[in-house]
Amino acid sequence: MKFNVKKPASLLLVLSMLVLALSACGSSDKGASGDAGADSKTDTGGSAPAAESVKLKFYAQYSDPDKAVYDAAAEAMKKVMPEVSVDFEVSAQDDEQKIKTYAAAGSLPDIFYASSGLIETLKKSDNLATMDDVIKENNLEDKLNESAKPMMWNKDGHSYAVPNVGQWAGLIYYNKELFSQNNVKVPANYDEFLEAVKAFNAKKITPLEVFAKEKWPAVLLLDMAVVGSEPGGLKKLDNGEGTFSDEAYVKGAQKLEELTKAGLISKNAFNTTADDAAAQFSSGKAAMYMNGAWSMSNLDSLMGDKVGILYTPLADADKVDQVKWNLSGGGFNQGFAVSKNSKNKDVAVKYAALFSLEFAKQRVILLSDPNSILAEKVTPVKGLSPIQQQYADDSVNFKTMTTFAWGYENAKFKTAVEDNTQKLLAGQSAGDFVKDMNKALETARK
């Protein structure tokens, strides 16, 4: 190899620079004061540098009773992804309007809860990140029980949200004490339900507390009136099968019309939130209350053994035994989703996927969730309450479930059925409802 011979002055300059460089290296691990501090030790083990801190915006139902679950899951995630912190934004009780507004404005949070219906909407606008790779890399499907595994995947073969809870049934809760004190029979079929409504209305007690400020509860109520004759419920229409002129749907609408005339709901129902409705029911101002089975934990804490559950009280008396376990509610491929446009998309996808399963675990631990999706056996801190134990025991008998309104995939159908069931509960005739919905179906299916 041939070396270039430098002039003495140049050589002296090079040596001087070398001395300065060595001096700088010798002092680089000192603190600002010049003394060796706690950080002066050099890692010689070849470990990778610490990951850069990331803060994610998380739009969620961050309120009681789930607030403690979110906090516990976030705390547990610090051990898995310590570089990530989350800033929770409490989601609005507005039938997903705010999150859709975020999407339209291009300002979706990094992570947000997405129903199966919202997933379909945001897929079309190319707003969702897929979770396929993270699921496979972390063997997440193996961590779900067999009934929950299908919930991981969308019908297009991809995953947009790892499930965070099981398939909850839609239920009607009743106040055992009020029924007993007023000598009203707990309804097992539609005729008995109608009589209970009339009896409580006559006593100035709200028969059924419905938080109709949101639109999906009215849809659930109609679905409950339909599944006694048609197990597919309103979801069958969403799938493109049948019309509202079919007997099951006409009869369901007629039942709601009759119940409304009998005084089913309060005059303030359309201004009532879920929290308000639960408070009215738990305080004894309403005989019954409708919500998903996820409400069991909260109602149990408020009412103890005063609360009971009804599955299909709107079925005809001669069909009850046949349809008892054909339920409203349920849903697939829903959980915590990630914006495709997140600046930290890859980190957010991994965090959301792992957080979903930790959330499911903490729901069992803290809220005694009887509907766990996990393969792992998790023990609740407080055990199961009587109402939760009943639901857990009954769930093995469930035959079919439909879905909640947020699970409808045809956005035009969803909007139409939400708007028109509100009108039905406000006093519209069943005939006009059926006519309006058949027109809406034609438009939705074009």
Side-chain angles (χ1 to χ4, degrees), residues 171-226:
L171 300 176
I172 289 180
Y173 299 89
Y174 69 97
N175 186 318
K176 296 178 182 179
E177 197 172 75
L178 276 182
F179 272 84
S180 177
Q181 290 173 350
N182 291 281
N183 197 31
V184 177
K185 183 178 181 180
V186 176
N189 57 61
Y190 175 72
D191 291 336
E192 293 175 356
F193 190 88
L194 178 60
E195 289 307 308
V197 168
K198 292 177 178 178
F200 282 115
N201 190 48
K203 295 176 181 291
K204 307 300 182 185
I205 297 171
T206 301
L208 180 68
E209 194 63 61
V210 177
F211 47 103
K213 190 169 185 178
E214 296 183 59
K215 295 180 180 180
W216 68 263
V219 180
L220 175 62
L221 192 57
L222 177 60
D223 196 67
M224 286 181 171
V226 170

Side-chain angles (χ1 to χ4, degrees), residues 221-242:
L221 192 57
L222 177 60
D223 196 67
M224 286 181 171
V226 170
V227 292
S229 302
E230 170 51 69
L234 297 174
K235 179 60 179 170
K236 180 178 178 180
L237 299 176
D238 176 59
N239 290 339
E241 304 173 52

Side-chain angles (χ1 to χ4, degrees), residues 89-401:
E89 177 186 351
V90 180
S91 61
Q93 296 179 4
D94 62 353
D95 293 308
E96 301 177 334
Q97 292 308 305
K98 187 172 183 179
I99 194 69
K100 289 178 180 177
T101 300
Y102 278 151
S107 58
L108 277 171
D110 300 292
I111 303 173
F112 53 95
Y113 173 76
S115 65
S116 49
L118 182 62
I119 286 173
E120 294 306 312
T121 298
L122 297 186
K123 269 173 53 182
K124 292 177 182 177
S125 57
D126 198 25
N127 271 302
L128 293 177
T130 58
M131 296 190 170
D132 306 25
D133 292 342
V134 165
I135 289 171
K136 293 171 184 176
E137 290 166 4
N138 294 275
N139 298 314
L140 298 188
E141 192 169 8
D142 293 340
K143 297 181 181 181
L144 298 180
N145 60 36
E146 290 303 316
S147 64
K149 288 180 180 179
M151 296 171 64
M152 181 90 76
W153 303 101
N154 187 268
K155 60 185 180 182
D156 67 3
H158 294 292
S159 180
Y160 300 95
V162 172
N164 61 335
V165 294
Q167 296 186 71
W168 291 114
L171 300 176
I172 289 180
Y173 299 89
Y174 69 97
N175 186 318
K176 296 178 182 179
E177 197 172 75
L178 276 182
F179 272 84
S180 177
Q181 290 173 350
N182 291 281
N183 197 31
V184 177
K185 183 178 181 180
V186 176
N189 57 61
Y190 175 72
D191 291 336
E192 293 175 356
F193 190 88
L194 178 60
E195 289 307 308
V197 168
K198 292 177 178 178
F200 282 115
N201 190 48
K203 295 176 181 291
K204 307 300 182 185
I205 297 171
T206 301
L208 180 68
E209 194 63 61
V210 177
F211 47 103
K213 190 169 185 178
E214 296 183 59
K215 295 180 180 180
W216 68 263
V219 180
L220 175 62
L221 192 57
L222 177 60
D223 196 67
M224 286 181 171
V226 170
V227 292
S229 302
E230 170 51 69
L234 297 174
K235 179 60 179 170
K236 180 178 178 180
L237 299 176
D238 176 59
N239 290 339
E241 304 173 52
T243 73
F244 273 90
S245 294
D246 295 347
E247 183 180 3
Y249 303 102
V250 172
K251 199 167 186 178
Q254 289 172 342
K255 287 179 179 179
L256 253 61
E257 179 185 12
E258 186 174 29
L259 289 169
T260 299
K261 288 180 178 178
L264 177 67
I265 62 176
S266 72
K267 295 179 180 178
N268 296 321
F270 295 99
N271 294 315
T272 301
T273 66
D275 292 339
D276 293 336
Q280 290 290 311
F281 174 63
S282 61
S283 64
K285 296 178 181 178
M288 295 178 285
Y289 168 68
M290 189 186 66
N291 207 335
W294 58 80
S295 297
M296 284 185 291
S297 176
N298 186 43
L299 292 175
D300 178 68
S301 67
L302 295 171
M303 301 175 68
D305 60 5
K306 291 182 182 179
V307 63
I309 52 178
L310 303 173
Y311 294 106
T312 51
L314 301 185
D316 293 335
D318 61 345
K319 294 181 180 179
V320 167
D321 291 340
Q322 306 167 36
V323 303
K324 183 178 181 181
W325 303 119
N326 295 332
L327 307 181
S328 295
F332 287 92
N333 189 222
Q334 56 191 19
F336 299 121
V338 172
S339 168
K340 187 175 183 179
N341 300 313
S342 168
K343 293 180 181 179
N344 298 287
K345 185 180 71 172
D346 292 341
V347 173
V349 166
K350 182 177 180 180
Y351 189 92
L354 299 181
F355 186 95
S356 294
L357 298 187
E358 187 60 43
F359 181 92
K361 181 178 180 179
Q362 294 300 330
R363 271 196 64 93
V364 176
I365 294 172
L366 299 178
L367 302 184
S368 302
D369 188 345
N371 197 30
S372 176
I373 60 174
L374 302 173
E376 171 190 5
K377 184 176 181 180
V378 183
T379 303
V381 171
K382 297 181 180 179
L384 296 179
S385 68
I387 190 175
Q388 290 170 325
Q389 188 62 61
Q390 179 190 344
Y391 185 85
D393 293 341
D394 289 341
S395 64
V396 301
N397 299 311
F398 294 171
K399 291 181 180 178
T400 62
M401 278 194 189

